[in-house]
Amino acid sequence: MRIPRCLTIAGSDSGGGAGLQADLKTFEALGCFGMSAVTALTAQNTREVRSVRLLDPQFVVEQIAAVVEDIGVDAAKTGMLGDAAITRAVARALAQRTFPVVVDPVMVAKSGARLLAEEAVATLKEELLPRATLITPNAPEAEVLAGLPIRSTEDQVEAAMRLARDGPAVLVKGGHLPGEEAVDVLVVGGEVHFFRRPKVHHPHTHGTGCVLSAAICAFLAHGAALPEAVAKAEAFLTRALLYALDLGTGHGPVHPMAHVRNAAAKAEVLEELERAVSLLGPDFRELVPEVGSNLALATPFALGEEDVAGLDGRIVRTVRGVRVGVPRFGASRHMARVLLTARRFDPSLRAALNLRFGEDVLRAAERAGLSMAAFDRAGEPAEEGQSLPWGVSRALAACGHVPDLIYDRGGPGKEPMVRLLGRSAEDVVRKALRILACLREEPHAKEG
């Protein structure tokens, strides 16, 4: 089986969060064979870059040649180049190559240390950028390269258009700009593409640019067209950012291997769902709503509905008990939306289960010692698929923490519902069974 081959031409990060270390992790996570041509050595950690040692430009060229002539390259990327001499040498080494090249014009480290000499910027613009397939500057880098201030998405478009006149496609990243969204702007072949993602509210963003450019390189090596490669890389980075690693005492690294671990966890998720629903006895029918119940379980690194498994066929009442569906990813969009919204407030939540609403159920839940929050469907958005995320967000914002259950009293055409939250499928099932036990202790308990 042929494996795509990716080359990174970049500096070494002794802390492992950025540079060629982050590139190689990304290549491996995306099914590519990673190779490196080292341009510089750094002594750094999550707080600072303590020192830098640039390598001899000719030795950098020799590394590139050795890899290209024997193993071959399907796509390459550049990162930290250090000075004008190395930048010029790399540009000339890549001049006759036919594989795509992604240039990440690294200028300043997360800690503020300079990683490209000021006098090297002209060499970068004149000799390397025209040979690139794509360049991926962040907003401050694009300001330097394009020669204009960038304060808005419109400025990003203008800078990308200006830089694209020299030949390469341009992705101007907007993570440094104000706002709740990070907007990246791609200009390729005169067309403008926008990529949006919510900003993360943690400081662990070390290696963001390296991972994104390496992921684009990997998808290009797999044969994707440029807009598709960027779109897939943006999704890859979103997961790596969301599940960044809290290491050290400064800016921790993003987590490119979250992609691999998420895929590996899917079989275990289905098995966990099967074990959890096996705990449900026939009496559970007393808690099943008219529309049926569903038990949703997310992977530890879930990003979207495709990472949440549910029961295909739901849990429905029968004459003598319940009938349980088959675990499958994508089987419960509604509960997936509830769970994914709750995970924004507490990523340790993994599972959700809906039950019938009733004052008796709420009383039983209270006696079971479960915490509760509620939302009113009045004023919910009309947009398809947004009512539950809206309601759950309102309930959690008002509550100030993530409770055991969230309920609503319904609305026009909407059945009232109770939704349990927990850290595992078994956790929410056992909460439901506690409610059931307390419900049956009521003097006038009756089947719902």
Side-chain angles (χ1 to χ4, degrees), residues 43 73 78 100-101 106 110 163 165 169 179 205 225 262 267 284 353 415:
V73 175
T78 69
V101 177
V106 177
K110 186 71 67 180
L163 291 171
R165 291 173 192 157
T205 57
N262 187 69
F284 183 73
L353 171 67
E415 184 179 357

Side-chain angles (χ1 to χ4, degrees), residues 202-216:
H202 62 67
H204 308 306
T205 57
H206 185 48
T208 301
C210 302
V211 168
L212 178 61
S213 56
I216 296 170

Side-chain angles (χ1 to χ4, degrees), residues 80-130:
M80 175 187 176
L81 297 177
D83 65 9
I86 294 176
T87 303
R88 182 175 295 110
V90 169
R92 291 175 179 175
L94 296 175
Q96 304 303 319
R97 306 305 177 191
T98 57
F99 49 78
V101 177
V102 178
V103 173
D104 183 10
V106 177
M107 296 182 184
V108 179
K110 186 71 67 180
S111 63
R114 184 118 197 149
L115 300 180
L116 182 69
E118 289 189 29
E119 61 271 18
V121 173
T123 305
L124 178 72
K125 291 174 63 175
E126 294 167 9
E127 300 195 33
L128 183 57
L129 297 193

